[in-house]
Amino acid sequence: MRHFANWTILGLTLAFLIGPFIIIILAGASAGQNLAFPPEGLSLKWYLKVFTIESFRASFALSMGLAVFGTLAALVLGIPAAYALNRYDLPGAETVRTIVAAPIIVPGIIVGLALLRYMVLPLNVSITAALFMAHTALVLPYAVRVVSSSMHNLRADMEEAAVLLGATRFQAFAKVVLPNIRGGVLAAFILGFVTSFNQVPVSLFLSGPGVRTLPIDMLAYMEITFDPSVAALSALLAFMSLAIVFIAERLLGFSRYV
């Protein structure tokens, strides 16, 4: 009886987690003209239509660029910050950690409004540049936190041994520290990429003519059209996220480091 109860709880939990994903996949495969579940027959026409919508292609390219380059910029800033916070007894280290974590604590919509009010409008900063800065700032806390956790588990005497053997601090970092924390760096990149790509609150205020991220473009599309193409696109994006994690695990040995 207890065995049956455990399997029932497990099944309900999986249904709760996977159920919405299955609904979206089937809704996107509807043969009807309107978004509905259960679908009115099955067809792949809406999945194919996604690739023909020009606004989706443009906004996807923008979101992909922001996610990739924003996450890389966050890692370039976050890895040295994580190294300094872990290896040195810096005055005010806790204050620095709090400031770095601020973008997570502060609602994204406030960040977007602040950038619009104090950078885009008075300084005439382009919307794309403001989006890049916002996404980098939002991803930076994840980069610092995840890399810090990975670096915390690395013994400092390994780096010191390399220095004693003649390596410079930079060489010791590049050849000893960085290879040993690559799992944390990879995890930070994946987490930052997904966070940036799916960011909505910040991007609401930082959108302009011809400059919209994919989530914002999907919301705008649903205001005028209620066909299943948005559900199809959502399913494709979910598959893309799963594919990124799967490739990272298979090709880079992600599961061995986290």
Side-chain angles (χ1 to χ4, degrees):
M1 184 65 182
R2 186 170 183 176
H3 183 72
F4 174 78
N6 290 337
W7 278 105
T8 301
I9 294 174
L10 176 61
L12 292 174
T13 303
L14 291 175
F16 177 77
L17 295 174
I18 303 176
F21 182 47
I22 295 175
I23 291 174
I24 290 297
I25 293 175
L26 294 178
S30 173
Q33 298 300 314
N34 296 312
L35 182 62
F37 187 84
E40 303 172 9
L42 296 178
S43 173
L44 294 178
K45 64 179 181 179
W46 299 110
Y47 283 93
L48 298 177
K49 183 183 177 182
V50 165
F51 298 98
T52 67
I53 301 176
E54 174 60 30
S55 64
F56 283 169
R57 295 201 300 266
S59 58
F60 175 82
L62 176 61
S63 290
M64 182 64 70
L66 288 172
V68 172
F69 293 107
T71 303
L72 289 177
L75 287 173
V76 170
L77 297 172
I79 292 175
Y83 178 84
L85 290 172
N86 276 271
R87 288 290 185 265
Y88 301 106
D89 187 15
L90 300 175
E94 289 303 320
T95 302
V96 173
R97 290 190 178 93
T98 302
I99 294 174
V100 170
I104 297 179
I105 302 172
V106 177
I109 198 167
I110 295 178
V111 176
L113 178 59
L115 284 171
L116 177 66
R117 175 63 181 83
Y118 296 104
M119 291 197 70
V120 175
L121 296 179
L123 302 180
N124 201 28
V125 176
S126 68
I127 293 294
T128 304
L131 277 171
F132 175 77
M133 289 186 288
H135 282 238
T136 300
L138 289 172
V139 172
L140 182 59
Y142 298 101
V144 174
R145 292 281 181 170
V146 176
V147 174
S148 292
S149 299
S150 183
M151 195 170 292
H152 181 74
N153 296 323
L154 178 65
R155 292 171 54 184
D157 55 4
M158 295 175 61
E159 182 183 359
E160 296 301 325
V163 173
L164 291 175
L165 291 173
T168 63
R169 282 290 175 182
F170 180 79
Q171 290 174 332
F173 176 81
K175 297 183 178 181
V176 177
V177 176
L178 202 55
N180 282 281
I181 64 170
R182 58 181 175 178
V185 174
L186 176 61
F189 179 84
I190 293 175
L191 184 59
F193 176 88
V194 174
T195 300
S196 174
F197 193 90
N198 296 307
Q199 181 58 232
V200 173
V202 167
S203 304
L204 280 173
F205 282 99
L206 300 176
S207 298
V211 182
R212 285 193 299 202
T213 60
L214 185 57
I216 302 303
D217 198 31
M218 292 169 67
L219 290 174
Y221 185 85
M222 289 187 66
E223 291 179 357
I224 58 175
T225 307
F226 202 63
D227 60 38
S229 57
V230 172
L233 179 56
S234 300
L236 291 174
L237 293 177
F239 281 122
M240 183 187 75
S241 299
L242 292 174
I244 290 172
V245 175
F246 179 80
I247 292 172
E249 180 179 355
R250 293 298 180 182
L251 297 183
L252 303 178
F254 180 68
S255 59
R256 295 199 298 269
Y257 300 103
V258 296

